[in-house]
Structure formats: structure tokens, C-alpha cells
Amino acid sequence: MEKGYSHSRTREHRLKRNRKRLILLAIILFVAGCITFIAIKVSDNQTHAPTQELAKKTDSVSKDSSKGKVNAGANGKAVSPKSDPEVEDGAFVEKYLKQQMLGQMPDGADGKKVAYLSFDDGPSVTVTPKILDILKKQKVKATFFIVGKEADENEHTRNIIKRIVKEGHAIGNHTYSHNYKYLYPNKRVSTDHVMQDIERNNKVLKSILGPEFTTRMIRFPGGHMTWNSRDPQGMAALDKVLHQKDYHQVDWNVLTKDAEGKSKKAPALINQFIRSVKGREKAIILMHDTYGKEETAKALPQIIEFLKKQGYEFKVMK
């Protein structure tokens, strides 16, 4: 009787001890599982936090870009809108040229070749229609920097302006008068005179294209870089006013020299263009469509074909 009772107590003690071990093991496994789960969550958050932050920034840039303006972020880099593949924001081009002129790597340098054909001093009834015919045949768009007094010359020139817009080209403001003595008296930049001439040109363009027409694109007669070197303080004051009004001036980095020196035949213009465009990723090309520029029209088809063979896409500036 005593032996049986002792054996029963020993077995009961062993069972209690085993239960304690199982409970302790379960607790250990539960704690280990909790620690593992927490570690995984922390690691997951650390991995995805930068991606989520980048997504927010990217979304912010996308929303800002869709407004049709170039927006500069904290790093000062310009963002070009992508809503229309044939349109480049003028502020993007302005900044690109400025940085390039300063010897800096432009923010917009991305390996993609883009050509921006631009024509100054028109319209003319002799040359502009020929250029428009060529552009239509080649299925290429360009930007025309219009002189107001030429546009408002007669019904023919007014109709040419309408055709430019109807066929999908862009229009920039090249002042109303193109008069150096008025715009730059005593070889100094006059903010008042330039702005008056720009606004007078705007009124002419609105009278032709309707009150809703606007353009943000400005090109100075003679070029911004020229007058900035001659009168940096005067140009700085003018630039400030332009940007307050959301105007953006663009010069050029490629030219045919169809307005420099003696008159040139088409082959000479083409050769000059090929030399000038070499190595340009974003080529802002200066040509003229005013009276006496028939050779420019003759050269244009080969210039466009050359750009196409070199892998350039074409955009207008707005």
C-alpha cells in the first residue's frame, strides 16, 4: 500500500513538472514569435519609407508639371511638362540655355535629342508661306517669333498669323517695332520701352487671334546674351519684370547665319547649320522668315532631313 502510494505521487510530480516545462516552452516560443514579428515590421517600414517619400515627391512634381509651367524644386531644377510631347515649356528652354551659356551641365540634359526650329522677324508674304508649306510637308512644327508691325501690315500678313496657329505652330513675341534705338536707347536696355513694345505686340496678336490668345515666349531683337553683356544691370531689371509677368526669353544655340554678314545661298546656310548643330543635344535653331530670306526657305528641307537622320525629335516652345 505504501509502495503504490509513493509511485502514484512520483508519477503525479513528473506530470506537473512536464506541464510546467511545456508552459515555459510555449511562453518562450510566443515571446520569440513576437520579437520576430516586430523585427520584420520595423525592417519593412525602413525599406519602404524612402520609396513612399519618393512617390510623394514624384506625385508632387507630376501635379506641378501638369499646370503647364516649369516648377523649381528645392534643388532649383526645372521640370518640363509632359502633357504634350510636341510642346516644351519655355521656362525649361530658358534655363537650359542660361546654364549652357555659363558652362554648366544643364538640368535638362537627358540624352534625348530635341530640335526647336524658330523663325524671327516675320511674317512676310514672300517667305513665311513657303516655310509653312515645307513644315507641313515634313510634318514638323516650329516657333515663330513675330514682329507686331509686320503682322499688322495688311490682311495677308494677318491671315498668315492665323495659318501659323491653325497648323499647330507656336507664336512668340519679338516686340512690336524691332527698333533698336527705341528698345535700347544709347545702347542701354530700357525696361519701359521693351515692355511697352511687348504689350503693344500682344494687342496686335490678340486682335488677329482673339482676346484669349497669350504667349509666354519672348525673344529680344539682337538676343538676350548680346544685351546682357552690354548692359547687365539693365537686362537684370528687365528680366525681373518679365518673370513677374510669367514671360520667358529664349535665345538660341544653333544658327544658319542667314542674318549675319553678306547674303548667303542655301548650301552655305546648310553647311553653317551643320557646323553649328554639332554636339547639341537640345538644339534651339535660329532662322528668319522676313523679306529677302528666300534662301532660308530653300535650305530648310535639307536642314530638317539632316535633323531627322541624326535622331532629333521636334518641339515647339510655349
Side-chain angles (χ1 to χ4, degrees):
M1 184 74 179
E2 192 68 22
K3 271 186 175 182
Y5 178 74
S6 175
H7 180 72
S8 176
R9 288 189 63 184
T10 301
R11 185 173 59 183
E12 184 179 347
H13 178 73
R14 190 183 300 116
L15 288 173
K16 287 182 178 179
R17 186 173 58 189
N18 289 340
R19 279 198 295 270
K20 287 180 179 179
R21 288 176 178 175
L22 288 173
I23 291 171
L24 180 61
L25 179 61
I27 292 171
I28 292 171
L29 290 174
F30 176 78
V31 171
C34 290
I35 293 171
T36 302
F37 177 78
I38 292 170
I40 291 172
K41 289 297 291 183
V42 169
S43 175
D44 185 65
N45 286 339
Q46 289 176 339
T47 301
H48 287 85
T51 304
Q52 291 167 351
E53 188 64 25
L54 178 61
K56 289 178 182 178
K57 291 180 180 178
T58 304
D59 184 59
S60 175
V61 168
S62 177
K63 288 177 181 177
D64 289 342
S65 298
S66 68
K67 296 177 183 177
K69 297 180 180 180
V70 165
N71 296 280
N75 58 6
K77 290 188 176 183
V79 180
S80 177
K82 302 297 182 182
S83 57
D84 188 336
E86 293 187 342
V87 176
E88 193 76 87
D89 194 305
F92 174 87
V93 182
E94 178 185 39
K95 186 173 184 180
Y96 185 97
L97 284 172
K98 181 178 180 181
Q99 291 177 318
Q100 191 174 72
M101 183 185 68
L102 294 172
Q104 302 171 359
M105 177 62 72
D107 293 340
D110 56 7
K112 295 180 181 178
K113 290 184 174 182
V114 183
Y116 309 88
L117 299 175
S118 66
F119 299 90
D120 286 12
D121 297 356
S124 67
V125 298
T126 55
V127 179
T128 308
K130 293 178 181 179
I131 287 175
L132 288 172
D133 289 343
I134 293 165
L135 294 173
K136 187 174 184 180
K137 183 178 180 180
Q138 294 280 353
K139 297 181 180 179
V140 168
K141 301 295 187 291
T143 305
F144 290 81
F145 287 91
I146 302 299
V147 174
K149 66 183 181 67
E150 300 296 337
D152 206 26
E153 182 69 22
N154 53 53
E155 195 61 29
H156 295 297
T157 54
R158 294 170 69 87
N159 286 335
I160 290 171
I161 296 296
K162 292 177 183 178
R163 179 184 172 186
I164 288 172
V165 174
K166 183 178 180 181
E167 295 184 1
H169 306 290
I171 284 183
N173 192 319
H174 199 37
T175 73
Y176 176 84
S177 67
H178 203 282
N179 186 327
Y180 282 45
K181 291 182 179 180
Y182 175 73
L183 300 170
Y184 317 117
N186 300 315
K187 296 184 179 181
R188 290 290 182 267
V189 177
S190 171
T191 296
D192 289 341
H193 288 188
V194 173
M195 293 309 301
Q196 287 171 12
D197 232 40
I198 287 173
E199 296 304 339
R200 187 177 180 186
N201 194 7
N202 281 338
K203 289 180 180 179
V204 169
L205 293 171
K206 286 178 182 292
S207 73
I208 298 170
L209 299 169
E212 299 302 315
F213 173 80
T214 60
T215 178
R216 301 162 66 228
M217 305 308 302
I218 305 293
R219 180 171 282 166
F220 297 116
H224 183 279
M225 66 187 88
T226 298
W227 293 103
N228 187 54
S229 64
R230 292 180 181 177
D231 183 14
Q233 289 183 337
M235 187 54 79
L238 178 54
D239 283 342
K240 183 177 180 180
V241 174
L242 287 173
H243 286 176
Q244 287 173 346
K245 294 179 176 291
D246 195 30
Y247 287 123
H248 298 279
Q249 67 77 25
V250 291
D251 276 349
W252 54 88
N253 58 13
V254 177
L255 72 169
T256 62
K257 290 191 175 181
D258 62 351
E260 286 79 20
K262 296 180 180 179
S263 297
K264 304 172 184 65
K265 296 295 183 179
L269 297 177
I270 294 167
N271 289 335
Q272 170 59 38
F273 161 76
I274 292 173
R275 288 194 295 269
S276 184
V277 80
K278 185 178 180 180
R280 296 296 190 195
E281 181 183 290
K282 305 292 187 285
I284 299 89
I285 304 159
L286 171 66
M287 292 176 279
H288 296 78
D289 64 322
T290 189
Y291 297 96
K293 303 302 177 184
E294 285 80 4
E295 293 300 312
T296 298
K298 291 179 183 178
L300 184 58
Q302 291 186 55
I303 288 173
I304 293 173
E305 290 295 342
F306 179 87
L307 290 166
K308 287 180 176 179
K309 288 179 181 179
Q310 294 297 314
Y312 284 87
E313 61 176 304
F314 296 84
K315 291 187 179 185
V316 300
M317 298 174 282
K318 289 187 176 181

